[in-house]
Amino acid sequence: MKNIVKVDKRFQKAVNLTLDFGDMDRVNHYIPTKSSVSILKQYLENIEKDQAEHATILIGPYGKGKSHLLLVLLALLCSKDKKKTKEVREKIISVKKSTEKLFEKISESKPFLPVIISSFQGDLNETFIFSLQEALKREGITDLTPESEYTESIQAINVWKKDYPATYEKFLELLGEKGYDKKNFCEGIKKQEKEKLFYFKEIYPLLTSGSNFMPMIQKDALQVYKEVNRALCSQYSYAGIYIIFDEFSKYIEGHERVGFSKDMKIIQDMCELADNSGELQMYITFVAHKSIHEYVKSIDSEMIQAFRGVEGRLKEIQFVVSSQNNFELIESAIQKETEFFTKEIRKKTEKSYDLTCFSNLFEREDFIKIVAKGCYPLTPLCAYTLLQISEKIGQNERTVFTFIAGDEPGSLPRVIEKRHSEELVGVDCVYDYFKNLFRETLDQPQIHKEWLKADYALTKAETEEEKRFIKAMAVIRMVRRPEELSVSKPDMTCALDISEEVYDRAIESLMDREIIFFRASLGTLAFKNNIGIDIEKEIEKEMRRLRDKMDVCAMLNEISELTYALPKQYNQNRAMTRYFRYEFVPIEKYMAVNRAEYFFENRF
């Protein structure tokens, strides 16, 4: 198989905006999809038409391509040589023709200065200013002089004259050596003559024991950005400043209570500066993996009020990539020899089209091209569950593309090393690759719980067939889309590329040993709860511990696994999603209920 399948290793490396900015190979390697181009177009039109959305937050799960999209956006907006972006522009135009005229207008515009905020050590005000200085240095702008530097230099001279006479005398001596008169020198600085300010900066270390004249660091980021932007537009022919605040999620989630209000005020001020920038354009985009409203649930109650000021100033833009686009990205990452799609492989993969998760999404021919052929050597359901699991628990170091292009144990290149060309990669490989994350994902108890059951069941498995079955079963239950995919014979045989005989043999053995069982109420297979434990003994022990503190109904709600009942035929006939929730209630409480609304209050 490894002679047929070649993985594009460039998909493995996650985009780092700070390190990859200016790397045109990374920019030109971008794979535009209809969904991503729509978002890109929204950002470009917002700037071209000077709409009101100057402060935005781009939201999407890990590994979906947010950083790559923003890397392309910065290249389009900030490149002085528009020829460098020709390749990526042509790729985007091929997906959406309407972007061609937009690019023509953008190409005639002045460039933006890109500022990337990605390091959050210490004071946020300093971080903003340091990132601006790095951006100026990267662009070769070393002589930019904000108005405040002239004022600050005069103030420093006056302080020396009043409080440090020896320093002041040394200052006058150095002026004389250069042929400057003190009065004319100060007048020149007041008139904002760069030559005199640069000489002041040159001699400043000689007068202050080696320190540099950097008044910018000591000022508010708001004022610094305002002054620098004005200078960029008037002196250097820039359109303005474009700020990307990368990894905003990690910044919020990792922030301590101390200093939180101050930092939120800085962010709020920067958003307001962008919104009110006018002709001196400024834009700021935050990058997050969930909606800004979600952070309120995870931060300290005392921090919420400070966060509200930021929340109301950001326009949310959802990075929603369609399911079909996701399969197309996998197709692009896995390169195949032209003659690989044999009749046997087509027969194996095409039967997956009858599953709801594919027939509702693709026309048959599109399914064959994009999923069956495009995602080979993955079974179609392996590709499907890979996308679902990655979206649920994926991180920067573990995503769809690290699975496809990585070189660690469990990744696709390792899996296919010893496989023959017609042995497809099943859903069990998704379990093998993400199992460490399953173990660590305590914030998603449903996934962690399924992993616990599967991990124990694997210790009882006797054959490789049983192990593969258990792993695939766990992944499908974690996906939790019973209307699209369930632990049933048609789905499992497609998921693992096995025959019905192998399926029957595996479940018969596992059910006989009470490792799995058929849950009639849901019409699916499930892991046996607490397998390998003396249930009666554990119940007795737990009751002794809890005594009369136990809430029987709450416990039943927790362990019964009777969560929802889906009226499938009803939903299908009416093209809607309606479901019933199971709820255990004490008889006395139930009899006391006088209105049905009680059961829905504080539940959703």
Side-chain angles (χ1 to χ4, degrees), residues 65-171:
K66 300 186 299 296
S67 294
H68 208 164
L69 180 141
L70 291 174
L71 186 69
V72 172
L73 176 67
L74 291 180
L76 294 170
L77 293 175
C78 305
S79 294
K80 295 178 181 177
D81 184 359
K82 302 301 181 182
K83 293 179 181 178
K84 291 183 177 181
T85 60
K86 181 181 178 181
E87 183 178 338
V88 74
R89 280 188 279 122
E90 288 176 348
K91 290 167 72 174
I92 293 168
I93 291 168
S94 69
V95 174
K96 185 162 285 194
K97 183 69 174 176
S98 59
T99 57
E100 186 170 10
K101 289 185 178 180
L102 182 59
F103 286 143
E104 290 175 2
K105 294 178 181 178
I106 293 291
S107 64
E108 297 171 358
S109 304
K110 296 177 182 178
F112 282 81
L113 176 78
V115 178
I116 301 169
I117 314 290
S118 60
S119 177
F120 313 117
Q121 296 180 355
D123 184 81
L124 183 61
N125 189 77
E126 292 180 4
T127 299
F128 265 102
I129 295 173
F130 175 77
S131 299
L132 177 60
Q133 290 177 324
E134 288 296 299
L136 293 170
K137 189 188 303 182
R138 184 179 59 241
E139 296 297 313
I141 302 174
T142 57
D143 58 346
L144 185 143
T145 51
E147 294 177 6
S148 59
E149 288 198 359
Y150 296 98
T151 305
E152 294 288 340
S153 60
I154 293 296
Q155 289 179 357
I157 293 170
N158 290 336
V159 169
W160 294 338
K161 183 177 181 180
K162 180 180 178 183
D163 299 327
Y164 304 97
T167 302
Y168 184 69
E169 288 300 321
K170 179 67 175 175
F171 166 68

Side-chain angles (χ1 to χ4, degrees), residues 13 34 47 85 175 182 238 245 280 285 328 391 579:
K13 181 177 177 288
K34 290 180 181 178
I47 293 171
T85 60
L175 287 183
K182 184 260 178 182
Y238 276 84
F245 197 119
L280 305 176
T285 295
E328 290 170 350
E391 185 163 325
Y579 54 88

Side-chain angles (χ1 to χ4, degrees), residues 456-488:
Y456 182 83
L458 287 169
T459 66
K460 301 298 181 182
E462 296 177 348
T463 66
E464 190 61 33
E465 289 174 357
E466 291 178 4
K467 290 179 180 179
R468 292 189 68 210
F469 189 96
I470 289 167
K471 292 174 183 178
M473 177 175 164
V475 170
I476 289 173
R477 287 179 59 79
M478 289 174 189
V479 169
R480 214 172 186 180
R481 291 196 169 189
E483 289 189 317
E484 292 187 354
L485 180 62
S486 63
V487 187
S488 61

Side-chain angles (χ1 to χ4, degrees), residues 10 15 144 205 235 253 255 339 385 410 413 430 529-530 563 584:
R10 289 177 295 182
V15 170
L144 185 143
Q235 300 174 30
E253 292 166 352
H255 206 299
E339 302 300 323
T385 56
V430 176
N529 266 333
N530 301 318
T563 52
F584 289 91

Side-chain angles (χ1 to χ4, degrees), residues 492-543:
M492 289 293 286
T493 53
C494 290
L496 291 169
D497 184 29
I498 57 175
S499 65
E500 292 187 1
E501 291 75 15
V502 171
Y503 171 88
D504 291 337
R505 186 165 62 241
I507 66 164
E508 182 179 355
S509 177
L510 293 170
M511 291 179 75
D512 285 347
R513 303 202 312 278
E514 297 188 340
I515 296 174
I516 65 174
F517 72 104
F518 183 74
R519 188 179 293 285
S521 61
L522 300 177
T524 186
L525 291 166
F527 291 108
K528 194 81 172 178
N529 266 333
N530 301 318
I531 48 182
I533 298 174
D534 185 335
I535 300 294
E536 296 300 327
K537 184 177 180 181
E538 289 299 314
I539 290 176
E540 185 179 345
K541 178 182 175 182
E542 188 70 5
M543 288 181 68

Side-chain angles (χ1 to χ4, degrees), residues 32 112 225 229 403 534:
F112 282 81
Y225 272 77
N229 196 26
F403 170 79
D534 185 335

